[in-house]
Amino acid sequence: MAKMEVKTSLLDDMIGVGDMVLLEPLDEDSFINNLKKRFDHNEVYTYIGSVVISINPYRSLPIYTPEKVEEYRNRNFYELSPHIFALSDEAYRSLRDQDKDQCILITGESGAGKTEASKLVMSYVAAVCGKGAEVNQVKEQLLQSNPVLEAFGNAKTMRNDNSSRFGKYMDIEFDFKGDPLGGVISNYLLEKSRVVKQPRGERNFHIFYQILSGASEEFLCKLKLERDFSRYNYLGLDSARVNGVDDAANFRTVRNAMQIVGFMDHETQSVFEVVAAVLKLGNIEFKPESRANGLDESKIKDKNELKEICELTGIDQSVLERAFSFRTVEAKQEKVSTTLNVAQAQTKVRKKVMGVLDIYGFEIFEDNSFEQFIINYCNEKLQQIFIELTLKEEQEEYIREGIEWTHIEYFNNAIICDLIENNQTGILAMLDEECLRPGTVTDDTFLEKLNQVCATHQHFESRMSKCSRFLNDTSLPHSCFRIQHYAGKVMYQVEGFVDKNNDLLYRDLSQAMWKANHSLIKALFPEGNPAKINLKRPPTAGSQFKASVATLMKNLQTKNPNYIRCIKPNDKKAAHIFNEALVCHQIRYLGLLENVRVRRAGYAFRQPYEPCLERYKMLCKQTWPHWRGPARAGVEVLFNELRIPEEEFSFGRSKIFIRNPRTLFKLEDLRKQRLEDLATLIGKIYRGWKCRTHFLLMKKCQVVIASWYRRYSQQKKYQKIKSSTITVQSYIRGWKARKQLRELKHLKRCNEAATVIAAYWHGTQARRELKRLKEEARRKHAVAVIWAYWLGLKVRREYRKFFRANAGRKIYEFTLQRIMQKYFLEMKNKMPSLSPIDKNWPARPYLFLESTHKELKRIFHLWRCKKYRDQFTDQQKLIYEEKLEASELFKDKKALYPASVGQPFQGAYLEISENPKYKKLKDAVDEKIIIAEVVNKINRANGKAASRIFLLTKNNVLLADQKSGTIKSEVPLGDVTKVSMSSQNDGFFAVHLKEGSEAASKGDFLLSSDHLIEMATKLYRTTLSQTKQKLNIEISDEFLVQFKQDKVCVKFIQGSQKNGNIPTCKRKNNRLLEVAVP
Ligand SMILES: Nc1ncnc2c1ncn2[C@@H]1O[C@H](COP(=O)(O)OP(=O)(O)O)[C@@H](O)[C@H]1O
Ligand SMILES: [Mg+2]
């Protein structure tokens, strides 16, 4: 929607008048009413020509958004409703495109919105000028200079919570493309006295509160500060906190801004050190002391604070103390100083410059003093420059446009400036003269002098003036003088003028400061350098200020001025309140009416021909709707036609000039009227057109519908006829077809009947033939059967006499006999060898001989075994008996057995009788020795083996020492109860002895022999033959052996191969003996 209502002129949608130049009638009341009307409608900006009047809304309005910036960007000044952005855009564009340096002069009283306005201008310019990282950094630095300046130069006052206590002029520099390069800031009139003392309800400069609220404990400690405001005499306590102001957060903003602006860390640090030192200075108290020589001296009460200051600033304590004590500084008097750095702003390289001046406006208080005097002087100068520049511009435009310049009366304030700044007779010159004069100088002598010199000046009033013009004016006290400024009369108290003008800092103080071991403080007091001692008096505050104003004016004169006049609508800092008296006062001292008058000096309104013709062309037949010729001729025709009196306008080269706003408003009224007529006309034509097009459309539609309908109905009719025809056709076809079918069916039935009859006939014929043939065949068969029976009967009768009843049996037996015979004969030839181990046997020829064949094999085997046995001698027989016995005892039970089969049982392995070593043994044993062999006896305690001679005789078992042949033990066979051994491939065996027998006292024997099978067999056989009892042979891998009193378990396990093939025996514990068999 916003896009729809495109404005092409300021004159559209106007509330009151947007440009005061167009105000009619022009007087104070209508001026204020217009402002109020606009203010009530949230229009806080109004123009006077190109000057912007801004009324502080005291609330945030939605008119500073990025969208608004875009709206005002690159638009003509008068195109949209008045706005600070329009002015900024105009200034920036003529700077960028026409290479004209600009200055923006913002004036108004405290709290009127000057600083805000200057920030708005800067932010607008920042938003529309170039882009890029470098440019953005510059922009950021420019914008961030504000928080820093405000922290050190702004304070809460009764009128404004964030009042700038200094005048500020900032030159923003741009390169040829219009990208910002940087800025130079100059300060004027910093209210230094505020540091020492603030009026009730006001605060010191923000930075003091910010540092105490926002700095970290650590930082405060470094600065030797305490957080408590009440510790410091300089901090007014009654309004230490301000609503809506977060000092701590602002402190962070300021530090951050300082960093962005380019302060190095150590620089920031030393700035804060100075701030801390200033705070602490306030706490130093003096006590007066009279000395003997009659001179007064001041003494410092508490030196601790002084010591800390000296530590912070690096000044020698004694130096500072001396400086304080030898001369008392009247620190509690208000002082104004000027700091000027305009020279800095003049740089060598040609840059485009936009200056922004934010300075106090006119000040008229109850008590006006030196400060007000010089501020008002400054404003007077600004007004001058405004008049000069406006008139100059006006004049230039007239010349450019070729319009005759007619002089118009307006008030030129040059005369007031002269009253103040004239080098011989000006008030400032008088003041300087008075200050430098030897002898007693007081404010009164100064006033007297003024009375002498300025008495005749028409803008100077005083009661004591020689010419007693004002003697009767009781409103003017004796110690005052009054100046009639362009903005109104102001009465100044003369008291303090001389002192403030002098504004001296005593040399011993500045020298003490210069000696500080602190670069910043040293730099702040260059005059303290003893090398540069200057016996000349420093220039007075007044002359300094005059000079700086002059420089500023010179600077401004080279630039194209743009004015923003700020007005404060009420004293309560409240929105929506418009105090007419207050505004009236401001309008007067800002000289706004005067502004309008100057602006209207010649012609009130001017506009290029093209937009003018475009706007008003509908007022004349020749120019409406299109004018083909040049725009100027069009406007001429138009104005002639409208019969506008000739003195009311002039034709410039490119612009039409209108003398009176009345004429413009007449034009506007006519236009409005005409627009209404035109709107009606357009409406009329539009409605006619709309109806006609609607009718035509309907007509066209009707034709289309009718044609479609006709087509449709014909189609329907045709389809009906077609379908009826088809129906009739189909009936006829059906009837014909049925008739034909009937005929065909009849024909078919006739044919079928003929076939059936024929078939029956053939059938009858065939059956008759079949019957005949069957009869014939039966007869032939009967003949054959009868013939066969007859033949059989004949043969049987003939051969009956040749057959016997049992002939079959005889043949059977004979055949069997023959077969048996053949079998045996063949067997005889196929007999296997006589070896009992030969497994061969011929195959069986007939199945019925199965059992015979097996029996025959068995018999043959038994026979050849007998044959084999019969060859044995008695000796051999005995050996085989033994071997048989061994086989019965051990086969499939002991793994050692198969290996023993092939070994002959020798019995006496040791030749006892032959060997002389064993003679004694031989003698001891007189019976026949059955076994003599070396065995290993296993030691019962540790499982170790010891060699023994094992002897078996008919009645005894003997163990003897192998070396000596001494008998170790002798056991009667009757005492041997059992022999135990493992099932494995080892030669261990235990000989169990009968309990209680003599031999058993030492326990059973555990022995090991290479001929275990033979020994066990022989032991078994000998025992059987001697005692008629079978010896118990136990084969088990685990058996118990009686060792003296204990029963020990002998356990055979599968051992590793690591000891070779020899089984090893180990005593595990007293219950277990383990034999590992490989
Ligand atoms: N355009 C504005 N919109 C909203 N508030 C404003 C505007 N101008 C000024 N103000 C309010 O008025 C206060 C005083 O403005 P400031 O610019 O500091 O005054 P000055 O510099 O003239 O003393 C600001 O703190 C702000 O609250
Ligand atoms: Mg300000």
Side-chain angles (χ1 to χ4, degrees):
M1 280 305 286
K3 280 270 139 65
M4 294 282 287
E5 37 189 70
V6 175
K7 289 184 192 171
T8 56
S9 170
L10 172 73
L11 297 169
D12 292 320
D13 299 336
M14 227 169 28
I15 296 159
V17 286
D19 189 343
M20 287 294 188
V21 172
L22 303 178
L23 196 62
E24 193 70 22
L26 175 65
D27 56 41
E28 219 168 64
D29 285 343
S30 61
F31 196 102
I32 293 171
N33 281 339
N34 189 38
L35 280 184
K36 180 169 164 46
K37 193 169 168 193
R38 290 178 64 74
F39 181 76
D40 291 343
H41 285 85
N42 291 335
E43 290 283 351
V44 293
Y45 297 114
T46 310
Y47 292 148
I48 302 176
S50 58
V51 175
V52 176
I53 302 173
S54 154
I55 306 181
N56 188 347
Y58 279 122
R59 71 202 162 96
S60 64
L61 295 175
I63 54 171
Y64 307 112
T65 56
E67 292 77 46
K68 275 280 169 189
V69 170
E70 278 310 309
E71 194 179 327
Y72 278 87
R73 194 171 177 168
N74 293 336
R75 298 289 283 270
N76 280 329
F77 189 69
Y78 293 109
E79 222 172 278
L80 301 170
S81 40
H83 200 293
I84 204 160
F85 286 170
L87 176 127
S88 315
D89 191 65
E90 179 80 8
Y92 176 66
R93 274 196 298 145
S94 61
L95 171 100
R96 188 189 60 191
D97 303 338
Q98 293 164 29
D99 220 5
K100 282 190 200 158
D101 282 353
Q102 301 289 322
C103 61
I104 292 164
L105 310 178
I106 307 170
T107 51
E109 71 177 71
S110 181
K114 298 182 297 294
T115 307
E116 291 298 321
S118 77
K119 288 194 254 182
L120 284 171
V121 171
M122 279 167 69
S123 64
Y124 180 85
V125 172
V128 301
C129 68
K131 295 205 163 53
E134 215 171 296
V135 173
N136 281 344
Q137 197 201 343
V138 175
K139 281 184 196 175
E140 194 57 15
Q141 284 184 330
L142 288 175
L143 294 178
Q144 289 301 324
S145 65
N146 279 324
V148 180
L149 288 173
E150 288 185 4
F152 289 90
N154 287 23
K156 176 206 149 74
T157 65
M158 296 301 277
R159 292 141 182 259
N160 184 351
D161 288 348
N162 182 32
S163 177
S164 322
R165 305 317 297 162
F166 63 106
K168 180 179 80 182
Y169 177 75
M170 176 166 185
D171 263 336
I172 310 172
E173 297 173 346
F174 296 85
D175 66 4
F176 67 97
K177 302 195 296 294
D179 290 349
L181 292 171
V184 179
I185 299 170
S186 320
N187 305 322
Y188 299 87
L189 296 167
L190 175 66
E191 189 194 21
K192 286 196 277 186
S193 58
R194 181 169 294 272
V195 173
V196 194
K197 189 180 180 193
Q198 309 90 37
R200 266 198 93 72
E202 300 198 352
R203 292 211 308 181
N204 210 325
F205 291 104
H206 293 326
I207 187 65
F208 296 119
Y209 304 91
Q210 289 176 352
I211 217 170
L212 293 189
S213 316
S216 63
E217 286 300 339
E218 188 192 344
F219 191 54
L220 279 184
C221 186
K222 222 165 156 188
L223 297 179
K224 304 186 195 302
L225 289 177
E226 285 169 55
R227 215 178 268 297
D228 185 5
F229 290 166
S230 63
R231 281 275 295 111
Y232 300 100
N233 294 338
Y234 279 175
L235 303 184
L237 274 183
D238 48 343
S239 52
R241 309 252 172 229
V242 184
N243 270 351
V245 176
D246 181 350
D247 284 318
N250 286 345
F251 181 68
R252 286 188 287 279
T253 314
V254 169
R255 284 198 79 159
N256 185 34
M258 285 174 87
Q259 199 178 9
I260 291 173
V261 167
F263 281 83
M264 307 301 289
D265 279 349
H266 69 270
E267 288 170 343
T268 315
Q269 171 76 20
S270 50
V271 168
F272 288 133
E273 276 166 10
V274 172
V275 172
V278 170
L279 260 187
K280 293 172 96 56
L281 268 179
N283 287 357
I284 293 186
E285 285 176 32
F286 299 93
K287 54 180 182 219
E289 215 167 74
S290 296
R291 291 178 93 192
N293 58 9
L295 282 175
D296 273 348
E297 199 194 62
S298 66
K299 267 249 177 282
I300 294 167
K301 273 194 199 161
D302 175 12
K303 295 204 177 160
N304 193 32
E305 202 85 48
L306 184 74
K307 186 171 144 257
E308 285 186 356
I309 293 172
C310 291
E311 279 166 14
L312 270 177
T313 56
I315 304 176
D316 189 24
Q317 189 174 338
S318 60
V319 172
L320 193 61
E321 201 174 340
R322 245 178 80 87
F324 281 155
S325 307
F326 273 81
R327 247 176 185 155
T328 323
V329 177
E330 288 180 20
K332 298 210 169 170
Q333 283 203 350
E334 281 184 56
K335 289 197 191 89
V336 170
S337 102
T338 58
T339 321
L340 264 183
N341 266 331
V342 179
Q344 282 179 358
Q346 294 158 350
T347 41
K348 285 171 206 99
V349 186
R350 172 77 192 110
K351 291 169 188 159
K352 300 181 182 188
V353 175
M354 179 183 281
V356 181
L357 181 68
D358 166 10
I359 202 159
Y360 313 91
F362 244 94
E363 285 187 351
I364 310 179
F365 300 143
E366 291 282 295
D367 280 343
N368 300 294
S369 181
F370 184 68
E371 292 84 8
Q372 280 68 45
F373 176 70
I374 52 177
I375 287 166
N376 290 350
Y377 161 59
C378 179
N379 277 277
E380 201 73 57
K381 290 293 281 181
L382 286 173
Q383 172 71 3
Q384 237 291 250
I385 199 170
F386 170 70
I387 292 169
E388 262 175 37
L389 292 174
T390 314
L391 284 179
K392 200 169 89 193
E393 193 189 26
E394 200 88 344
Q395 230 163 350
E396 274 168 6
E397 183 162 40
Y398 282 22
I399 292 164
R400 208 169 43 238
E401 292 289 331
I403 291 194
E404 204 187 320
W405 171 252
T406 42
H407 184 74
I408 295 288
E409 265 313 311
Y410 62 93
F411 173 67
N412 189 340
N413 68 341
I415 185 165
I416 308 174
C417 296
D418 188 65
L419 169 67
I420 300 171
E421 67 180 4
N422 188 296
N423 281 341
Q424 270 87 48
T425 56
I427 298 176
L428 286 174
M430 295 296 116
L431 186 58
D432 276 2
E433 212 178 292
E434 203 56 16
C435 288
L436 300 176
R437 182 171 64 84
T440 41
V441 176
T442 61
D443 295 325
D444 290 335
T445 58
F446 163 61
L447 185 59
E448 226 163 82
K449 189 157 194 159
L450 279 189
N451 287 338
Q452 280 168 22
V453 180
C454 307
T456 49
H457 199 287
Q458 57 194 112
H459 290 273
F460 179 84
E461 295 171 8
S462 143
R463 228 172 146 173
M464 309 231 293
S465 78
K466 282 239 170 105
C467 148
S468 55
R469 261 195 298 159
F470 305 107
L471 273 177
N472 299 330
D473 187 351
T474 44
S475 69
L476 187 63
H478 286 281
S479 59
C480 297
F481 64 92
R482 190 150 58 192
I483 294 179
Q484 203 180 344
H485 286 289
Y486 82 97
K489 289 183 176 182
V490 183
M491 187 172 74
Y492 296 101
Q493 299 280 350
V494 83
E495 191 199 329
F497 264 57
V498 173
D499 273 348
K500 286 173 180 173
N501 192 38
N502 269 329
D503 184 35
L504 286 176
L505 180 66
Y506 291 103
R507 188 166 294 136
D508 33 3
L509 261 181
S510 60
Q511 281 178 354
M513 288 300 160
W514 188 83
K515 282 183 195 144
N517 185 19
H518 190 281
S519 56
L520 179 61
I521 294 181
K522 220 181 178 80
L524 288 175
F525 295 91
E527 69 271 26
N529 186 348
K532 289 190 192 158
I533 231 162
N534 185 359
L535 289 175
K536 241 174 73 186
R537 279 187 71 122
T540 58
S543 58
Q544 271 186 43
F545 187 68
K546 195 172 113 184
S548 65
V549 165
T551 331
L552 177 64
M553 292 307 142
K554 229 161 107 192
N555 184 11
L556 293 181
Q557 251 155 3
T558 60
K559 297 191 166 80
N560 186 37
N562 301 273
Y563 292 92
I564 300 170
R565 305 294 201 159
C566 297
I567 289 179
K568 191 160 80 169
N570 59 66
D571 265 335
K572 300 182 177 118
K573 305 174 191 169
H576 301 297
I577 299 177
F578 190 90
N579 182 337
E580 287 182 29
L582 189 74
V583 174
C584 176
H585 177 72
Q586 292 173 76
I587 286 169
R588 270 187 211 156
Y589 75 65
L590 284 175
L592 292 187
L593 274 176
E594 211 52 47
N595 276 11
V596 182
R597 288 205 183 99
V598 171
R599 181 74 199 184
R600 288 214 318 203
Y603 293 89
F605 184 77
R606 66 217 61 184
Q607 197 176 28
Y609 289 118
E610 287 78 16
C612 175
L613 183 63
E614 194 56 36
R615 191 164 178 85
Y616 302 113
K617 66 181 181 181
M618 71 291 283
L619 298 180
C620 160
K621 279 214 174 76
Q622 283 102 304
T623 52
W624 179 254
H626 298 295
W627 174 255
R628 303 278 170 212
R632 179 183 168 146
V635 176
E636 270 171 32
V637 169
L638 185 76
F639 276 47
N640 275 336
E641 186 79 2
L642 292 174
R643 298 215 181 77
I644 296 170
E646 261 181 50
E647 66 276 10
E648 275 299 313
F649 60 88
S650 271
F651 291 108
R653 286 212 175 84
S654 66
K655 283 182 183 167
I656 174 88
F657 286 74
I658 296 172
R659 192 177 296 281
N660 237 308
R662 231 175 304 134
T663 315
L664 184 72
F665 290 133
K666 195 176 140 202
L667 278 175
E668 276 294 306
D669 286 345
L670 284 173
R671 178 175 180 269
K672 216 161 154 190
Q673 229 170 40
R674 181 75 182 124
L675 280 182
E676 270 162 30
D677 293 349
L678 283 178
T680 321
L681 185 69
I682 292 169
K684 196 171 77 185
I685 290 174
Y686 171 71
R687 275 196 300 278
W689 171 83
K690 204 172 147 192
C691 282
R692 197 180 141 69
T693 33
H694 187 63
F695 166 74
L696 285 176
L697 194 71
M698 291 223 309
K699 200 171 150 192
K700 212 169 129 193
C701 296
Q702 189 270 330
V703 171
V704 172
I705 293 170
S707 69
W708 275 90
Y709 176 73
R710 276 199 299 278
R711 177 172 167 251
Y712 171 77
S713 66
Q714 282 300 0
Q715 212 173 22
K716 278 271 150 183
K717 205 166 144 191
Y718 165 76
Q719 272 166 358
K720 211 164 163 187
I721 293 171
K722 194 176 162 189
S723 71
S724 339
T725 316
I726 291 170
T727 311
V728 173
Q729 248 178 9
S730 65
Y731 273 107
I732 292 173
R733 284 208 194 98
W735 172 75
K736 273 186 175 169
R738 277 192 299 279
K739 203 174 132 199
Q740 200 181 13
L741 182 69
R742 241 182 346 259
E743 283 167 4
L744 285 173
K745 272 184 179 168
H746 179 70
L747 201 69
K748 192 180 164 200
R749 257 203 306 279
C750 290
N751 283 345
E752 273 171 4
T755 315
V756 170
I757 294 166
Y760 273 102
W761 171 243
H762 288 313
T764 319
Q765 290 273 36
R767 274 191 300 278
R768 231 178 255 160
E769 180 64 15
L770 183 67
K771 215 167 152 187
R772 195 187 58 78
L773 286 175
K774 273 185 181 168
E775 187 66 22
E776 207 175 75
R778 238 187 337 261
R779 276 189 201 137
K780 270 186 186 163
H781 182 68
V783 170
V785 171
I786 295 166
W787 176 243
Y789 273 101
W790 168 243
L791 270 185
L793 190 68
K794 250 171 52 172
V795 170
R796 276 193 305 276
R797 263 184 211 152
E798 201 173 333
Y799 286 93
R800 189 172 289 149
K801 54 192 182 216
F802 299 121
F803 285 93
R804 290 250 182 98
N806 56 351
R809 184 158 184 88
K810 282 222 155 148
I811 292 167
Y812 171 74
E813 277 171 359
F814 173 74
T815 312
L816 216 56
Q817 228 169 7
R818 293 298 307 160
I819 288 172
M820 289 299 282
Q821 220 166 23
K822 192 178 163 210
Y823 167 67
F824 283 119
L825 285 174
E826 273 174 11
M827 277 300 282
K828 190 185 138 202
N829 297 334
K830 284 190 214 160
M831 265 312 171
S833 71
L834 280 181
S835 163
I837 52 171
D838 188 358
K839 288 264 187 326
N840 289 333
W841 190 248
R844 154 183 62 75
Y846 301 103
L847 182 65
F848 73 96
L849 288 176
E850 170 77 38
S851 54
T852 317
H853 196 67
K854 268 193 184 156
E855 186 61 17
L856 207 59
K857 183 183 173 187
R858 196 183 67 84
I859 294 168
F860 176 73
H861 184 67
L862 288 178
W863 173 75
R864 70 180 172 189
C865 286
K866 180 163 180 349
K867 266 282 200 218
Y868 185 70
R869 281 197 305 271
D870 287 347
Q871 297 167 16
F872 293 167
T873 59
D874 282 347
Q875 186 94 38
Q876 277 172 317
K877 238 183 215 162
L878 203 67
I879 289 171
Y880 280 102
E881 259 170 34
E882 262 178 6
K883 282 277 178 190
L884 193 65
E885 194 83 67
S887 147
E888 277 163 8
L889 286 173
F890 300 111
K891 191 177 177 191
D892 299 334
K893 289 179 191 158
K894 173 94 180 146
L896 196 65
Y897 170 71
S900 76
V901 173
Q903 293 171 354
F905 290 173
Q906 286 178 12
Y909 289 90
L910 279 179
E911 298 291 335
I912 299 237
S913 43
E914 245 86 318
N915 199 335
K917 207 163 88 177
Y918 301 128
K919 183 158 182 333
K920 216 164 120 203
L921 184 63
K922 165 90 184 78
D923 295 343
V925 184
D926 45 359
E927 290 160 312
K928 183 177 182 274
I929 291 169
I930 301 168
I931 296 175
E933 160 71 316
V934 177
V935 296
N936 287 323
K937 179 173 183 283
I938 307 301
N939 188 314
R940 295 156 186 156
N942 53 14
K944 292 256 168 71
S947 296
R948 291 279 187 278
I949 298 173
F950 181 94
L951 295 178
L952 175 66
T953 61
K954 267 189 171 167
N955 293 312
N956 295 308
V957 173
L958 289 115
L959 286 176
D961 189 79
Q962 199 203 351
K963 283 184 191 132
S964 59
T966 340
I967 294 171
K968 290 260 173 176
S969 40
E970 182 170 3
V971 183
L973 280 184
D975 287 349
V976 177
T977 52
K978 191 166 88 172
V979 175
S980 298
M981 65 188 74
S982 77
S983 64
Q984 298 178 34
N985 203 359
D986 61 272
F988 285 89
F989 66 101
V991 179
H992 301 270
L993 304 177
K994 192 191 269 175
E995 262 179 74
S997 66
E998 188 192 336
S1001 62
K1002 279 184 190 168
D1004 302 341
F1005 299 117
L1006 185 58
L1007 306 170
S1008 152
S1009 162
D1010 293 341
H1011 304 101
L1012 170 63
I1013 299 294
E1014 182 185 353
M1015 284 165 82
T1017 311
K1018 285 199 163 141
L1019 194 61
Y1020 178 81
R1021 280 174 66 88
T1022 318
T1023 315
L1024 190 64
S1025 69
Q1026 289 301 309
T1027 61
K1028 308 286 178 246
Q1029 264 170 12
K1030 280 187 179 171
L1031 181 65
N1032 186 2
I1033 294 181
E1034 186 189 335
I1035 300 178
S1036 161
D1037 285 345
E1038 216 177 305
F1039 49 80
L1040 291 174
V1041 179
Q1042 184 78 39
F1043 284 168
K1044 286 184 183 165
Q1045 297 89 352
D1046 307 325
K1047 275 200 187 325
V1048 174
C1049 178
V1050 181
K1051 190 172 178 186
F1052 293 82
I1053 52 156
Q1054 202 67 42
S1056 65
Q1057 293 269 334
K1058 73 170 182 259
N1059 298 326
N1061 276 338
I1062 307 152
T1064 52
C1065 183
K1066 245 188 214 148
R1067 180 76 190 246
K1068 281 277 160 178
N1069 53 43
N1070 54 353
R1071 296 254 166 252
L1072 181 66
L1073 194 82
E1074 211 172 69
V1075 183
V1077 185

